[in-house]
């Protein structure tokens, strides 16, 4: 009896990242880690699964993320578990759980890892996607907001990303927001029947979310709704003015975008997004802002916070479009050995060069020289070292520069120096 086995494919909205593209991901992550470290951020790793109420409470019961997009399941003991749709809530949970506030001062933390949202997949939008994010906990100073944005702009410029725009707004705080929501509700009462059904519901349950609606037909109406910037209380106004003044001082350009409220409920005061012209419809490379009330909302001490998350998949699309970096892996040396007696010295040479940090590949079975050279050039090796009986007898190996075709006899001890002079490390 034979049953035909269907091929199993990756789950919808998820994808495999393959070499050589993964080398570009590593490059981007290395740049981010270096810059985070220069700004004294340290890495935090939180679990990929969390208790569902963490996100319901922090991201917000009425957001698209919580109502439609979470991968939530009931565990064997009936606990409701969710694959994290974002990491800010997890970072704040960990901050509270480990009493990081007892360490005094501010905590600057960063993370890199997968997030999960059950969205309709398209270019730049996946169900498993990656974020590179950073959070600062413990200060409400506008200088932090400006510094976080400065750090971001530095990262984007290191990655040679052109054609980006920093969109900036303030969404106020629990003191000034009620007055704004009143004005918003009043206007919405008049116009909501012309909005999409989601917005008609949001107009009642969470009117701020209407501003974040992505439905094209709703946009002309949304553009006429009152602006939160006209309703900021004195403290939020002053905070926003200081953030913009500090950005000016640092030479960072931005566009004030009063309808930028973001898709998560925890924000207070500063919110921002950076868009890239290199991306299509999904043009937000990153988003972030302040969340001064989140720690208290999750049962922790009052702790102001601000952070951002870069969508790494989108960042990579923009980096690829900018074409300043190429996905490539550099194999420095291919070791070709001819005849059984050459295997031992060849293996030793490969080991020694690898110990010194060069990227080395070696043939694993005896083949003719021509075939070895073919393999070496297919692998993109910069040099091929040829070791046969003659070379062993002479105490010098043949080293072929695969770019120029030049060949030279070099002593094994001098080989590392010979190769590393022309291989970028
Ligand atoms: P967010 O705006 O929901 O914010 O996501 C940040 C970025 O993640 C987006 O700008 C986008 O680049 C990327 N992203 C979101 N969903 C997807 C998807 N389905 N596929 C690919 N990329 C996606 C947050 O997550 C907040 N935690 C940001 C933050 C940190 N606020 C304060 N601290």
């Amino acid at each position: 009896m034979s049953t035909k086995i269907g091929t199993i494919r990756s789950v919808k909205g998820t994808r495999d990242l393959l070499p050589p593209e993964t080398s570009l991901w590593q490059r981007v992550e290395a740049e981010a880690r270096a810059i985070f470290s220069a700004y004294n951020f340290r890495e935090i790793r939180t679990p990929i699964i969390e208790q569902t109420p963490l996100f319901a409470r922090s991201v917000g019961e009425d957001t698209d993320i919580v109502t439609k997009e979470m991968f939530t399941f009931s565990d064997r003991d009936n606990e409701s578990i969710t694959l994290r749709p974002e990491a800010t809530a997890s970072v704040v949970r960990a901050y509270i759980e480990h009493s990081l506030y007892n360490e005094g001062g501010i905590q600057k933390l960063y993370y890199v890892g997968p997030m999960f949202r059950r969205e309709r997949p398209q270019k730049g939008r996946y169900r498993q996607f990656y974020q590179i994010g950073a959070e600062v906990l413990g200060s409400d100073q506008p200088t932090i907001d400006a510094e976080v944005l400065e750090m971001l702009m530095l990262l984007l410029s290191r990655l040679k990303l052109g054609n980006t725009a920093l969109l900036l707004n303030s969404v106020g705080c629990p003191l000034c927001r009620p007055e704004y929501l009143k004005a918003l509700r009043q206007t919405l009462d008049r116009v909501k029947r012309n909005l999409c059904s989601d917005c008609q519901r949001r107009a009642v349950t969470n009117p701020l979310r209407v501003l974040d609606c992505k439905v094209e037909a709703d946009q002309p109406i949304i553009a006429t709704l009152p602006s939160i910037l006209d309703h900021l209380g004195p403290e939020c106004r002053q905070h926003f003015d200081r953030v913009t003044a500090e950005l000016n001082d640092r030479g960072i350009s931005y566009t004030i975008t009063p309808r930028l409220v973001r898709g998560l409920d925890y924000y207070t005061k500063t919110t921002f997004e950076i868009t890239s012209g290199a991306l299509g419809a999904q043009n937000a490379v990153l988003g972030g802002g302040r969340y001064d009330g989140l720690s208290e909302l999750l049962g922790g001490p009052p702790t102001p916070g601000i952070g951002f998350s870069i969508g790494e998949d989108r960042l990579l699309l923009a980096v690829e479009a900018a074409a300043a970096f190429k996905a490539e892996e550099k194999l420095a040396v291919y070791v070709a050995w001819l005849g059984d007696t050459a295997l031992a010295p060849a293996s030793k040479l490969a080991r020694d060069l690898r110990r010194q940090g060069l990227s080395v590949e070696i043939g694993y079975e005896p083949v003719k020289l021509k075939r070895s050279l073919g393999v070496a050039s297919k692998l993109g090796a910069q040099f091929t070292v040829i070791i046969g009986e003659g070379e062993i007898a002479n105490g010098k190996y043949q080293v072929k520069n695969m770019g120029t075709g030049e060949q030279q006899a070099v002593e094994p001890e001098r080989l590392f120096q010979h190769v590393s002079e022309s291989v970028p490390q």
Side-chain angles (χ1 to χ4, degrees):
M1 192 186 83
S2 83
T3 346
K4 191 152 188 278
I5 303 173
T7 29
I8 297 174
R9 303 178 64 90
S10 57
V11 173
K12 184 175 176 189
T14 70
R15 60 201 181 123
D16 302 304
L17 300 169
L18 304 173
E21 204 202 341
T22 39
S23 69
L24 210 50
W25 284 68
Q26 289 178 355
R27 171 90 190 250
V28 163
E29 286 167 18
E31 251 352 307
R33 285 176 195 275
I35 288 173
F36 290 156
S37 158
Y39 279 80
N40 195 30
F41 281 71
R42 295 174 302 162
E43 185 176 6
I44 181 168
R45 298 189 189 198
T46 62
I48 280 168
I49 50 174
E50 295 275 4
Q51 293 183 16
T52 305
L54 174 69
F55 302 113
R57 227 193 280 174
S58 55
V59 173
E61 298 278 7
D62 200 44
T63 55
D64 280 352
I65 295 178
V66 173
T67 55
K68 308 180 193 166
E69 296 168 2
M70 294 204 305
F71 284 96
T72 296
F73 60 95
S74 186
D75 197 7
R76 286 167 199 273
D77 55 7
N78 286 329
E79 188 181 16
S80 179
I81 302 284
T82 291
L83 295 183
R84 63 178 184 192
E86 63 109 48
T88 310
S90 304
V91 170
V92 176
R93 179 204 43 72
Y95 175 84
I96 299 166
E97 191 166 328
H98 304 285
S99 313
L100 297 184
Y101 43 86
N102 282 341
E103 291 182 13
I106 59 176
Q107 288 284 334
K108 291 171 150 183
L109 303 165
Y110 79 87
Y111 50 85
V112 179
M115 310 291 154
F116 304 85
R117 296 185 195 175
R118 205 175 184 290
E119 295 193 75
R120 199 165 47 78
Q122 54 175 273
K123 191 176 179 209
R125 195 160 74 189
Y126 311 98
R127 291 185 172 177
Q128 173 171 339
F129 60 100
Y130 294 79
Q131 283 188 345
I132 300 177
E135 314 287 347
V136 183
L137 291 153
S139 172
D140 59 2
Q141 289 302 307
T143 303
I144 302 276
D145 306 36
E147 191 183 83
V148 161
L149 288 166
E150 176 191 283
M151 178 170 81
L152 264 173
M153 297 320 281
L154 177 63
L155 176 58
L156 299 189
S157 81
R158 283 274 163 86
L159 296 174
K160 310 265 190 293
L161 233 68
N163 202 3
T164 56
L166 166 59
L167 314 179
L168 188 70
N169 192 23
S170 171
V171 293
C173 72
L175 288 179
C176 48
R177 206 169 301 151
E179 201 255 314
Y180 170 65
L181 290 181
K182 208 166 114 194
L184 186 58
R185 276 208 169 90
Q186 273 169 5
T187 316
L188 280 171
D189 276 348
R190 275 192 281 110
V191 299
K192 72 177 177 212
R193 64 176 185 286
N194 299 321
L195 292 170
C196 70
S197 58
D198 274 346
C199 280
Q200 296 190 14
R201 177 176 50 79
R202 293 174 187 133
V204 182
T205 55
N206 192 344
L208 213 54
R209 289 270 69 81
V210 174
L211 300 181
D212 196 42
C213 172
K214 299 286 182 288
V215 175
E216 204 51 52
D218 287 2
Q219 300 311 312
I221 302 171
I222 291 172
T224 65
L225 296 174
S227 157
I228 194 157
L229 287 179
D230 297 333
H231 293 82
L232 292 182
E235 195 205 319
C236 292
R237 181 81 249 168
Q238 198 193 19
H239 188 275
F240 190 61
D241 290 344
R242 286 214 17 221
V243 172
T244 51
E246 289 212 28
L247 290 177
N248 297 340
D249 288 346
R250 291 167 200 248
I252 296 171
S253 25
Y254 52 86
T255 307
I256 294 179
T257 312
R259 276 165 198 89
L260 181 74
V261 292
R262 316 255 311 111
L264 306 97
D265 276 354
Y266 49 60
Y267 289 112
T268 54
K269 295 184 178 154
T270 314
T271 53
F272 56 85
E273 276 182 12
I274 293 184
T275 57
S276 162
L279 302 175
Q282 307 301 318
N283 66 354
V285 187
L286 64 93
R290 273 205 165 273
Y291 43 86
D292 291 347
L294 184 53
S295 171
E296 270 172 291
L297 190 71
L298 295 176
T303 309
I306 180 168
F308 62 83
S309 311
I310 303 171
E312 196 178 354
D313 308 72
R314 293 185 196 175
L315 181 64
L316 262 292
L317 287 171
V319 166
E320 276 162 8
F325 302 103
K326 276 217 294 291
E328 57 186 339
E329 292 145 313
K330 285 238 175 328
L331 181 65
V333 175
Y334 186 81
V335 182
W337 50 275
L338 310 167
D340 286 347
T341 47
L343 176 59
S347 300
K348 181 177 175 303
L349 177 75
R351 184 198 65 193
D352 290 348
L353 295 179
R354 284 167 168 164
R355 280 186 180 173
Q356 293 177 88
L358 287 180
S359 165
V360 176
E361 190 53 282
I362 182 170
Y364 293 108
E365 52 185 293
V367 286
K368 297 241 160 54
L369 179 60
K370 196 163 165 223
R371 178 107 180 265
S372 284
L373 289 172
V375 173
S377 88
K378 196 160 169 229
L379 290 173
Q382 286 169 296
F383 290 90
T384 301
V385 178
I386 301 156
I387 310 178
E389 271 170 30
E391 283 74 27
I392 296 169
N394 282 340
K396 283 187 180 178
Y397 300 161
Q398 289 296 324
V399 181
K400 188 179 173 82
N401 183 323
M402 301 298 283
T404 62
E406 273 170 59
Q407 197 163 309
Q408 224 175 306
V410 181
E411 287 107 5
E413 318 67 71
R414 281 200 48 250
L415 230 150
F416 172 74
Q417 199 196 345
H418 179 87
V419 168
S420 53
E421 271 163 12
S422 33
V423 173
Q425 301 267 324

